[in-house]
Amino acid sequence: MNAARNAALEAWMAEHGHSSNSLAEAVNTALEHLTGRPGGLDGSSVRGWKAGRVRWPKSATRRALEEVSGLPVTDLGFVPRVRTPPTPASPQQEDAMKRRTLVGGIAAAAAAAVAPGNAAPRRIGMSDVERLQERFAGIVASDHRRGGQVDIEQRAAALADEALTLQNVGAATQRVRRNLYAAAAAFCSSAMWAAVDGRRYDVAEGHMRKAQTLAEMSGDQAIKFRIWSHAGTMYRHMGRPADALAANDVARALHITRRDPQFAALGLARQGAIHGAAHEPSNATRAIGQAQDAMLRADPDDHRPMWMLAFWDQAELHALALSAHLSLGDYPTAEFHAHRCLANLRPHMIRSRAITTTRLAHAQLAQGDADTATATAMKVPADAATEHARVSRMLREFTAALRATAPGSVAAQTWAEHTTTWRAAA
């Protein structure tokens, strides 16, 4: 029987102008970002998907497809595998099975009569953890598209609760239990970050405390680093640089930063942004430079967690340097890092592109170039401008600065008309 063609995938490819070869290339790039290793797909792989010969690609490929498309793979026409029904037994086999079932049932009833409970506990394995991680990949992808939204926070928190529920519904090895705690901590950390990104700091602190407890129970150095590093960023956004430095120092003191220069680089880059917020130019410049050196020492083939592969790269380092120099009032250097960040940003980093573009507009306006700054600010998508809390706040500040520095100018009038269209569409 011929396989049914995947009409949903074909329609999505046509809408977005993808050939089989270009989609294969895009997915290979996403696979490299997610796993640290290039993908091996080609046009024939995609043609197999379209023809329906491959109905459910491998898990890493599914994650990469979701990153490229911004959709769950089921929306692209892929169908999870189902178990094949067993072949009907012959009458002789059925008689034998009935006898075994009867004997087994008697034995089970006898065991149940003396056992404290009536049901054997479910066995929890690494496959359960992997299924949670696959769903987590979708949350991470949503965060990069439209970060800070309450629904992303709620989805991440609910996934953490599912991981903790598994701890109590079945038997598991110590390795599986540690991985479940690490997964739950990672999910809580993502809920925390969504709340930080949405400027819901009181809620974020609650997620942080839960994540820190779960991370300690897991013993996982990578997730401990992520949570304390997120805490440092949260306190930086709250205007508490001393607390931010203390939290980030906890992350940087973990031995994973000595084992893997990429973790050291991320910790140093965030330290540079914190020093910028604290108006410490020499410390900020030194930390950013050390972060760049550490990144260059890192082995690109080392295995790293999905959350890190999804965002940490040269573009993010430039984004943190941009934040530092903007806070310091060094606007030409801030503009330099903004352009470098935008040139290196991966396509799925939609939220980061909006933030960087807004910061670039601020740096240009502070140098007296109202026309260029306004043209830059107008590139921010309307949904980010109206729905992302950090972007909305920065654009309100941009409006105030433009009115103060260039009142009655063509740039100010153009910007006022542009923002009116946002409000009308909201």
Side-chain angles (χ1 to χ4, degrees):
M1 182 177 177
N2 292 330
R5 293 191 67 82
N6 188 336
L9 177 63
E10 290 180 316
W12 182 87
M13 289 175 62
E15 180 183 353
H16 291 82
H18 269 298
S19 66
S20 294
N21 288 333
S22 69
L23 180 57
E25 183 179 349
V27 174
N28 282 337
T29 301
L31 279 167
E32 184 171 8
H33 293 153
L34 288 168
T35 67
R37 294 177 176 80
L41 302 169
D42 56 20
S44 65
S45 306
V46 177
R47 287 190 287 274
W49 300 342
K50 293 195 296 182
R53 293 191 296 272
V54 178
R55 303 294 290 164
W56 194 240
K58 294 179 180 178
S59 60
T61 303
R62 297 197 303 270
R63 284 163 46 198
L65 270 165
E66 289 179 335
E67 185 170 309
V68 169
S69 67
L71 297 170
V73 289
T74 49
D75 286 1
L76 295 175
F78 293 103
V79 181
R81 296 188 185 93
V82 296
R83 294 182 180 276
T84 304
T87 304
S90 66
Q92 294 84 358
Q93 289 173 321
E94 287 184 0
D95 289 341
M97 287 192 312
K98 287 177 181 177
R99 287 193 295 273
R100 287 196 298 273
T101 301
L102 178 60
V103 173
I106 293 171
V114 298
N118 290 332
R122 175 188 167 191
R123 189 73 184 174
I124 307 300
M126 285 303 297
S127 60
D128 295 286
V129 180
E130 289 165 3
R131 279 191 287 272
L132 289 171
Q133 293 286 10
E134 287 180 11
R135 291 165 60 194
F136 182 48
I139 293 173
V140 171
S142 295
D143 180 62
H144 288 307
R145 288 195 305 275
R146 48 184 199 88
Q149 303 305 309
V150 174
D151 69 295
I152 296 174
E153 175 196 336
Q154 292 173 338
R155 285 165 57 198
L159 203 59
D161 289 341
E162 283 190 45
L164 293 177
T165 298
L166 282 177
Q167 292 279 17
N168 299 305
V169 300
T173 65
Q174 190 60 32
R175 171 174 172 263
V176 170
R177 292 203 181 281
R178 283 197 302 268
N179 276 275
L180 277 173
Y181 281 126
F187 306 155
C188 281
S189 185
S190 283
M192 168 194 173
W193 178 248
V196 169
D197 213 18
R199 298 180 58 80
R200 300 182 296 277
Y201 298 125
D202 54 340
V203 178
E205 288 185 290
H207 290 307
M208 178 188 71
R209 287 189 289 271
K210 184 175 180 180
Q212 287 167 338
T213 300
L214 292 169
E216 289 299 322
M217 294 167 75
S218 76
D220 187 298
Q221 286 272 309
I223 192 55
K224 287 182 186 180
F225 176 94
R226 185 187 192 213
I227 291 161
W228 281 105
S229 186
H230 272 173
T233 302
M234 177 183 72
Y235 290 131
R236 171 166 64 88
H237 286 303
M238 293 172 73
R240 294 162 54 180
D243 290 335
L245 285 169
N248 201 56
D249 280 343
V250 175
R252 293 179 56 231
L254 293 166
H255 69 71
I256 196 169
T257 62
R258 296 185 290 278
R259 190 177 76 237
D260 187 343
Q262 281 289 29
F263 281 88
L266 176 54
L268 284 162
R270 285 178 168 166
Q271 195 87 339
I274 296 167
H275 283 307
H279 304 290
E280 300 171 354
S282 59
N283 287 338
T285 302
R286 184 185 309 111
I288 295 295
Q290 290 172 337
Q292 184 66 74
D293 292 342
M295 179 175 275
L296 292 174
R297 292 197 309 272
D299 183 350
D301 294 328
D302 277 359
H303 176 74
R304 296 183 179 93
M306 177 196 67
W307 57 263
M308 189 178 203
L309 295 170
F311 89 100
W312 175 240
D313 56 11
Q314 188 66 57
E316 180 66 14
L317 197 158
H318 282 298
L320 289 164
L322 161 62
S323 175
H325 288 286
L326 198 60
S327 297
L328 292 167
D330 182 357
Y331 302 117
T333 305
E335 182 176 3
F336 165 80
H337 285 293
H339 286 301
R340 294 296 298 274
C341 175
L342 291 170
N344 287 277
L345 268 177
R346 289 175 269 174
H348 71 277
M349 305 292 282
I350 296 172
R351 180 268 316 276
S352 294
R353 185 171 296 277
I355 291 172
T356 301
T357 302
T358 306
R359 286 175 171 163
L360 172 58
H362 273 276
Q364 291 168 333
L365 182 60
Q367 295 176 77
D369 194 347
D371 292 334
T372 301
T374 300
T376 297
M378 289 172 66
K379 294 177 183 177
V380 178
D383 55 352
T386 56
E387 297 174 14
H388 190 283
R390 286 167 59 198
V391 174
S392 296
R393 180 172 180 264
M394 287 191 292
L395 286 174
R396 287 195 298 272
E397 292 170 349
F398 176 83
T399 301
L402 181 62
R403 288 173 178 167
T405 58
S409 65
V410 173
Q413 182 179 349
T414 301
W415 178 247
E417 292 171 355
H418 184 71
T419 55
T420 299
T421 65
W422 284 347
R423 289 191 293 272

CSV table of all heavy atoms in Angstrom, one decimal, residues 26-39 64 67 300-301 309 346:
chain,number,residue,atom,x,y,z
A,26,ALA,N,18.5,23.9,6.2
A,26,ALA,CA,18.1,24.7,7.4
A,26,ALA,C,18.0,23.7,8.6
A,26,ALA,O,18.4,24.1,9.7
A,26,ALA,CB,16.7,25.3,7.1
A,27,VAL,N,17.5,22.5,8.4
A,27,VAL,CA,17.4,21.6,9.5
A,27,VAL,C,18.7,21.1,10.0
A,27,VAL,O,19.0,21.0,11.1
A,27,VAL,CB,16.5,20.4,9.1
A,27,VAL,CG1,16.5,19.3,10.2
A,27,VAL,CG2,15.0,20.9,8.8
A,28,ASN,N,19.6,20.9,9.0
A,28,ASN,CA,21.0,20.6,9.4
A,28,ASN,C,21.7,21.6,10.3
A,28,ASN,O,22.4,21.4,11.2
A,28,ASN,CB,21.9,20.4,8.1
A,28,ASN,CG,21.6,19.0,7.5
A,28,ASN,OD1,21.2,18.1,8.1
A,28,ASN,ND2,21.9,18.9,6.2
A,29,THR,N,21.4,22.9,9.9
A,29,THR,CA,22.0,24.0,10.7
A,29,THR,C,21.4,24.0,12.1
A,29,THR,O,22.1,24.2,13.1
A,29,THR,CB,21.7,25.4,10.0
A,29,THR,OG1,22.3,25.3,8.7
A,29,THR,CG2,22.2,26.5,10.8
A,30,ALA,N,20.1,23.8,12.2
A,30,ALA,CA,19.4,23.7,13.5
A,30,ALA,C,19.9,22.6,14.3
A,30,ALA,O,20.1,22.7,15.5
A,30,ALA,CB,17.9,23.6,13.3
A,31,LEU,N,20.1,21.4,13.7
A,31,LEU,CA,20.7,20.3,14.4
A,31,LEU,C,22.1,20.6,14.9
A,31,LEU,O,22.4,20.2,16.1
A,31,LEU,CB,20.8,19.1,13.4
A,31,LEU,CG,19.5,18.3,13.2
A,31,LEU,CD1,19.7,17.3,12.0
A,31,LEU,CD2,19.2,17.5,14.4
A,32,GLU,N,22.9,21.3,14.2
A,32,GLU,CA,24.2,21.7,14.7
A,32,GLU,C,24.1,22.6,15.9
A,32,GLU,O,24.9,22.4,16.9
A,32,GLU,CB,25.0,22.3,13.6
A,32,GLU,CG,26.5,22.6,14.0
A,32,GLU,CD,27.3,23.1,12.8
A,32,GLU,OE1,26.7,23.3,11.7
A,32,GLU,OE2,28.5,23.2,13.0
A,33,HIS,N,23.2,23.5,15.8
A,33,HIS,CA,23.0,24.4,17.0
A,33,HIS,C,22.5,23.6,18.2
A,33,HIS,O,22.9,24.0,19.3
A,33,HIS,CB,22.0,25.5,16.6
A,33,HIS,CG,22.5,26.5,15.6
A,33,HIS,ND1,21.7,27.1,14.7
A,33,HIS,CD2,23.7,26.8,15.2
A,33,HIS,CE1,22.4,27.9,13.9
A,33,HIS,NE2,23.7,27.7,14.2
A,34,LEU,N,21.6,22.7,18.0
A,34,LEU,CA,21.0,21.9,19.1
A,34,LEU,C,22.0,20.9,19.7
A,34,LEU,O,22.0,20.6,20.9
A,34,LEU,CB,19.7,21.2,18.7
A,34,LEU,CG,18.5,22.2,18.4
A,34,LEU,CD1,17.4,21.4,17.7
A,34,LEU,CD2,18.0,22.7,19.8
A,35,THR,N,22.7,20.2,18.8
A,35,THR,CA,23.5,19.1,19.3
A,35,THR,C,25.0,19.3,19.2
A,35,THR,O,25.8,18.5,19.8
A,35,THR,CB,23.2,17.8,18.4
A,35,THR,OG1,23.7,18.1,17.1
A,35,THR,CG2,21.7,17.5,18.3
A,36,GLY,N,25.4,20.4,18.6
A,36,GLY,CA,26.9,20.7,18.4
A,36,GLY,C,27.5,19.9,17.3
A,36,GLY,O,28.7,20.0,17.0
A,37,ARG,N,26.7,19.1,16.5
A,37,ARG,CA,27.2,18.4,15.4
A,37,ARG,C,26.4,18.6,14.1
A,37,ARG,O,25.2,18.7,14.3
A,37,ARG,CB,27.2,16.9,15.7
A,37,ARG,CG,28.2,16.5,16.8
A,37,ARG,CD,28.1,15.0,17.1
A,37,ARG,NE,29.1,14.6,18.1
A,37,ARG,CZ,29.0,14.8,19.4
A,37,ARG,NH1,27.9,15.4,19.9
A,37,ARG,NH2,29.9,14.5,20.3
A,38,PRO,N,27.0,18.8,13.0
A,38,PRO,CA,26.2,19.0,11.8
A,38,PRO,C,25.3,17.9,11.5
A,38,PRO,O,25.5,16.7,11.7
A,38,PRO,CB,27.3,19.1,10.7
A,38,PRO,CG,28.6,19.4,11.4
A,38,PRO,CD,28.5,18.7,12.7
A,39,GLY,N,24.1,18.3,10.9
A,39,GLY,CA,23.1,17.2,10.5
A,39,GLY,C,23.6,16.6,9.2
A,39,GLY,O,24.3,17.2,8.4
A,64,ALA,N,14.8,19.9,15.6
A,64,ALA,CA,15.3,20.9,14.7
A,64,ALA,C,14.2,21.4,13.7
A,64,ALA,O,14.2,22.6,13.4
A,64,ALA,CB,16.4,20.2,13.9
A,67,GLU,N,12.3,24.0,15.5
A,67,GLU,CA,13.1,25.2,15.6
A,67,GLU,C,13.0,26.0,14.3
A,67,GLU,O,12.8,27.2,14.3
A,67,GLU,CB,14.5,24.9,16.0
A,67,GLU,CG,15.3,26.2,16.2
A,67,GLU,CD,16.7,25.9,16.8
A,67,GLU,OE1,16.7,25.1,17.8
A,67,GLU,OE2,17.7,26.3,16.3
A,300,PRO,N,34.2,22.8,20.3
A,300,PRO,CA,32.8,22.8,19.8
A,300,PRO,C,32.2,21.5,19.8
A,300,PRO,O,30.9,21.4,19.7
A,300,PRO,CB,33.0,23.4,18.4
A,300,PRO,CG,34.4,23.1,18.0
A,300,PRO,CD,35.2,23.2,19.3
A,301,ASP,N,32.9,20.4,19.9
A,301,ASP,CA,32.4,19.0,19.9
A,301,ASP,C,32.0,18.5,21.3
A,301,ASP,O,31.4,17.4,21.4
A,301,ASP,CB,33.4,18.1,19.3
A,301,ASP,CG,33.6,18.4,17.8
A,301,ASP,OD1,32.7,18.9,17.1
A,301,ASP,OD2,34.7,18.1,17.3
A,309,LEU,N,22.9,25.1,24.0
A,309,LEU,CA,23.1,25.1,22.6
A,309,LEU,C,22.1,26.0,21.8
A,309,LEU,O,22.4,26.5,20.8
A,309,LEU,CB,23.0,23.6,22.0
A,309,LEU,CG,24.0,22.6,22.5
A,309,LEU,CD1,23.7,21.2,22.1
A,309,LEU,CD2,25.4,23.0,22.0
A,346,ARG,N,21.0,33.8,15.0
A,346,ARG,CA,20.4,32.7,14.2
A,346,ARG,C,18.9,33.1,14.0
A,346,ARG,O,18.3,33.8,14.7
A,346,ARG,CB,20.5,31.4,15.0
A,346,ARG,CG,21.9,30.8,15.1
A,346,ARG,CD,22.0,29.6,16.0
A,346,ARG,NE,22.3,30.0,17.4
A,346,ARG,CZ,22.3,29.2,18.4
A,346,ARG,NH1,22.0,27.9,18.2
A,346,ARG,NH2,22.6,29.6,19.6
